[in-house]
Amino acid sequence: MEPCAPQQLPRRPCAMEPREEYHGDQEERGDQEERGDQEERGAEEERGDGEDCGDQEDCGDAVAAWCDMVGRNVRSIPQRCETLGRKIATQYNSFTSKPLKEHIFPPLMNMLIYFNFFKAPFLVDLKKPELKMPHTVNFYIKVEPGVILGIWHTVPSCRGEDAKGKDRCWYEAALHDGNPIIVYLHGSAEHRAARHRLNLVKVLSDGGFHVLSVDYRGFGDSTGKPTEEGLTADAICVYKWTKARSGSTPVCLWGHSLGTGVVTNAARVLEEKGSPVDAIVLEAPFTNMWTASINYPLLKIYEKLPGFLQTLMDALRKDKIVFPNDENVKFLSSPILILHGEDDSTVPLEIGKQLYEIAHNAYRNKDRVKMVIFPPGFQHNLLCRSPTLLKTVREFLSQQWA
């Protein structure tokens, strides 16, 4: 046998020999990654360029809008100047078409009649009446949009202990406890916390009356501006509010000075609507505002000036301030008690007597009209100090309400 030829075994690479490796796949992957990175960078650059363009476009739009607005405003300047010129000319013609006194006297008379800018006593918290008057609560009534009235309700002194710590609801419910009720409408100036008004409320409370002390619109902390029509609406609103909560308990409207005009105005409106007031007390009343004004001490100084009285009358007519007590009483049927001080220098006694005569002649039942004159010493605001005031009022109302 021939010896077998030796077979060549595959040669194994030595560990020390360099090994040849295949890098084809890696190179392809590297190329792909580079191309991907380049594409992403390109896309980002494109997006960046796009965003820059968008910002530039937005900025351009804002500038164009601003320029357009400026242009419109500039173009409108002549028209605006023309409109302003017409307004100035209208105001000037309106001012020069009337004498200077017609611009001055009406607002001046309005100020003197109501004097509501004088909000004395000062530094009084009208929301805390208990600091000034015991067993009293403060509340508000809305008459109309923009007009809210501040009111103090004082219960009879005999219910003072019951009233301690009670809220407004308790006071409101107390109105139908059978004790008579007085809605007090004060005169010009100051507010419901004035000393002489508190003294009267105390006298009436001690006499067994509920007292609702009302500040008209523009007085005290009540909102709005005073006018004759507005004050009349205030009185009617409070009277109706009280009647709706008093049950069968009678309600009396009590007016002092300016308040007498408010009372008769309100009573006449209610009478014409078929709801006559239960009773009326007029303290220091006048016949009408014209008569009251020419007798007002401050204005009597100027009455001899040429044309003053005519100017005064024109101013009252312009402001529609009349308060015609002398005409109103002719249309009433409610019991009327007139109280007047003999030494009243603000509204002289003779004026009160004139009003009594007019009312007495107009009423069919003469017993429903009465006048009581108080001796000197009480002047215009201090009838509350008379020891006979409470007895006079109670006797009259008891007789009429019997």
Side-chain angles (χ1 to χ4, degrees):
M1 293 181 57
E2 293 180 0
C4 296
Q7 300 179 358
Q8 291 183 354
L9 297 175
R11 182 172 176 271
R12 294 181 180 177
C14 178
M16 299 300 293
E17 290 182 12
R19 182 180 297 174
E20 295 180 4
E21 297 181 357
Y22 179 73
H23 296 283
D25 292 342
Q26 294 180 355
E27 291 176 356
E28 289 178 2
R29 285 195 297 270
D31 293 341
Q32 290 176 356
E33 289 177 358
E34 287 184 10
R35 285 195 299 272
D37 293 340
Q38 291 176 358
E39 290 175 356
E40 288 182 2
R41 284 195 297 272
E44 289 178 357
E45 291 176 357
E46 290 179 0
R47 285 197 297 271
D49 294 341
E51 290 176 358
D52 291 341
C53 292
D55 292 342
Q56 292 175 0
E57 290 177 359
D58 292 342
C59 182
D61 292 343
V63 171
W66 182 82
C67 291
D68 183 60
M69 179 190 68
V70 172
R72 288 198 307 270
N73 288 334
V74 170
R75 289 191 297 271
S76 67
I77 288 177
Q79 182 181 0
R80 292 183 179 181
C81 290
E82 183 180 354
T83 302
L84 179 61
R86 285 198 301 268
K87 289 183 178 179
I88 294 175
T90 300
Q91 293 294 328
Y92 177 78
N93 293 333
S94 175
F95 185 84
T96 57
S97 63
K98 296 183 291 186
L100 182 61
K101 63 182 181 181
E102 292 189 24
H103 294 282
I104 297 176
F105 272 87
L108 177 62
M109 286 305 303
N110 188 287
M111 180 184 70
L112 292 175
I113 295 298
Y114 299 116
F115 224 75
N116 60 302
F117 64 89
F118 184 63
K119 298 183 182 294
F122 307 105
L123 303 179
V124 173
D125 189 351
L126 295 174
K127 295 181 180 179
K128 298 180 179 180
E130 64 277 4
L131 300 178
K132 290 290 184 178
M133 179 68 62
H135 44 83
T136 300
V137 69
N138 177 71
F139 68 99
Y140 298 91
I141 292 179
K142 183 177 180 179
V143 180
E144 58 192 46
V147 178
I148 299 176
L149 307 182
I151 302 173
W152 282 2
H153 176 192
T154 304
V155 298
S157 296
C158 60
R159 303 210 61 189
E161 288 297 322
D162 300 335
K164 289 184 177 179
K166 299 299 192 300
D167 59 9
R168 176 190 168 181
C169 294
W170 181 89
Y171 278 82
E172 190 173 314
L175 287 171
H176 57 76
D177 62 5
N179 291 301
I181 304 167
I182 290 177
V183 175
Y184 177 65
L185 302 170
H186 61 65
S188 60
E190 302 182 298
H191 49 67
R192 58 191 184 276
R195 181 179 297 276
H196 64 281
R197 292 164 188 165
L198 293 181
N199 291 339
L200 176 62
V201 171
K202 186 178 186 307
V203 169
L204 295 174
S205 175
D206 291 343
F209 291 93
H210 288 274
V211 184
L212 299 181
S213 304
V214 183
D215 268 329
Y216 318 106
R217 62 186 69 195
F219 287 78
D221 58 350
S222 298
T223 60
K225 180 181 178 181
T227 62
E228 180 171 350
E229 182 180 1
L231 268 58
T232 302
D234 296 344
I236 293 172
C237 178
V238 176
Y239 181 81
K240 287 183 175 180
W241 182 93
T242 307
K243 286 294 290 182
R245 290 157 179 78
S246 63
S248 59
T249 305
V251 179
C252 171
L253 284 181
W254 182 311
H256 172 239
S257 194
L258 173 67
T260 64
V262 179
V263 165
T264 63
N265 274 355
R268 180 173 177 178
V269 172
L270 292 168
E271 184 91 29
E272 292 173 348
K273 292 183 178 180
S275 303
V277 175
D278 294 334
I280 295 172
V281 175
L282 302 178
E283 180 187 357
F286 49 84
T287 49
N288 55 66
M289 188 52 68
W290 165 247
T291 304
S293 298
I294 63 176
N295 285 280
Y296 192 63
L298 182 62
L299 295 178
K300 290 190 72 172
I301 302 173
Y302 305 99
E303 66 180 0
K304 294 184 179 179
L305 294 177
F308 174 78
L309 293 181
Q310 184 61 46
T311 301
L312 176 62
M313 182 180 294
D314 293 341
L316 292 175
R317 187 182 299 111
K318 176 74 173 179
D319 285 337
K320 298 180 181 179
I321 302 177
V322 184
F323 292 108
N325 285 335
D326 49 356
E327 289 298 320
N328 288 336
V329 296
K330 297 176 183 179
F331 298 91
L332 304 181
S333 62
S334 305
I336 297 180
L337 174 62
I338 296 177
L339 309 173
H340 220 118
E342 189 174 333
D343 60 348
D344 189 334
S345 58
T346 303
V347 181
L349 175 60
E350 292 304 316
I351 296 178
K353 287 182 176 180
Q354 291 175 18
L355 182 63
Y356 167 74
E357 291 296 332
I358 295 171
H360 190 264
N361 292 334
Y363 269 57
R364 294 181 179 179
N365 186 349
K366 307 302 181 182
D367 293 335
R368 293 176 76 79
V369 182
K370 183 177 181 179
M371 181 174 188
V372 177
I373 300 173
F374 291 81
F378 305 110
Q379 302 174 354
H380 185 66
N381 292 329
L382 303 177
L383 290 185
C384 56
R385 295 182 180 178
S386 171
T388 63
L389 174 67
L390 182 60
K391 180 182 178 182
T392 299
V393 174
R394 288 194 65 88
E395 286 182 351
F396 177 78
L397 294 180
S398 297
Q399 178 184 357
Q400 299 298 325
W401 291 341

